[in-house]
Amino acid sequence: MSTPTPKAPSPLRPLPALIFASRWLQLPLYLGLIAAQAVYVWHFLLELWHLVEAVFGSQTALQALITSIGYKPEVQITALNETVIMLVVLALIDVVMISNLLIMVIVGGYETFVSRLGLDDHPDQPEWLGHVNASVLKVKLGLSIIGISSIHLLKTFINAANYDVKVLMWQTIIHVVFLASALAIAYTDKLLNSSHDRH
């Protein structure tokens, strides 16, 4: 007995075809994010190089690090210390987490809103990409933003002497708002999924 051949999809009418094809307008946006990712890689390597140079006694590299981590100009630091190293490493972690967020938006957004990447049999397919959709992507992005905000807040607290009290207060408030927003998104997603499962 012969198996029935799958029915070929009927072509879309001109207006629906145009509307559906408009998703490709997002392609330049994702390519732009890839360019931003390259800028972050360059920034990471530059900061890492300054750190290595400062370890070997370069005063120019040390001053570049001190400026980048937000020390007040009147603070005189002539040698690399534990606080400076910690702040630079946290800044590097911050860059890595933002880079992870970019990858999540680029890969997950393209897969969800533009076109399939065809990674089902690829050995390097990210684990989270197998079950990603718009709802899951929102929750993951919210959690990533909280992680980035946490690192940024930790950097500020370690370097609190060089910040105004209002800056510390507002960064803490903004972090709490991020946390509440992510919890609200996750809770809404849970309610929608439970309602969908019941139906």
Side-chain angles (χ1 to χ4, degrees):
M1 181 177 178
S2 62
T3 56
T5 56
K7 185 180 178 183
S10 57
L12 293 173
R13 288 172 294 146
L15 183 58
L18 175 64
I19 292 171
F20 185 58
S22 69
R23 72 195 190 280
W24 288 102
L25 290 173
Q26 291 192 22
L27 182 60
L29 306 181
Y30 292 116
L31 294 176
L33 288 179
I34 293 171
Q37 177 91 312
V39 172
Y40 264 108
V41 170
W42 174 253
H43 177 72
F44 180 93
L45 294 174
L46 194 61
E47 289 292 296
L48 184 61
W49 179 248
H50 284 157
L51 181 60
V52 172
E53 283 185 318
V55 167
F56 289 100
S58 171
Q59 288 297 314
T60 306
L62 179 62
Q63 291 308 313
L65 290 176
I66 289 168
T67 302
S68 71
I69 60 180
Y71 267 91
K72 290 179 180 176
E74 60 268 17
V75 176
Q76 295 297 321
I77 298 175
T78 56
L80 200 61
N81 58 43
E82 185 182 356
T83 303
V84 173
I85 294 171
M86 190 183 307
L87 288 170
V88 172
V89 169
L90 285 173
L92 294 177
I93 293 171
D94 201 17
V95 171
V96 170
M97 293 187 74
I98 292 172
S99 182
N100 291 341
L101 179 63
L102 279 170
I103 286 295
M104 198 177 299
V105 172
I106 293 166
V107 177
Y110 184 89
E111 173 91 8
T112 304
F113 300 111
V114 180
S115 181
R116 294 287 181 195
L117 290 169
L119 298 176
D120 293 336
D121 298 323
H122 198 283
D124 293 331
Q125 180 189 6
E127 183 273 332
W128 55 269
L129 192 59
H131 50 269
V132 73
N133 55 40
S135 182
V136 171
L137 196 58
K138 279 190 296 185
V139 174
K140 287 187 177 294
L141 290 178
L143 294 175
S144 296
I145 289 170
I146 288 172
I148 293 167
S149 176
S150 300
I151 295 294
H152 196 72
L153 196 59
L154 180 58
K155 281 170 50 185
T156 304
F157 285 160
I158 291 171
N159 197 20
N162 293 290
Y163 287 96
D164 188 69
V165 176
K166 286 184 179 178
V167 174
L168 296 172
M169 180 188 72
W170 279 110
Q171 283 195 7
T172 305
I173 290 171
I174 290 168
H175 178 71
V176 171
V177 169
F178 281 155
L179 185 59
S181 299
L183 288 173
I185 290 170
Y187 182 68
T188 305
D189 184 57
K190 182 182 176 183
L191 289 178
L192 290 173
N193 285 338
S194 61
S195 173
H196 182 267
D197 290 342
R198 281 200 302 269
H199 291 297

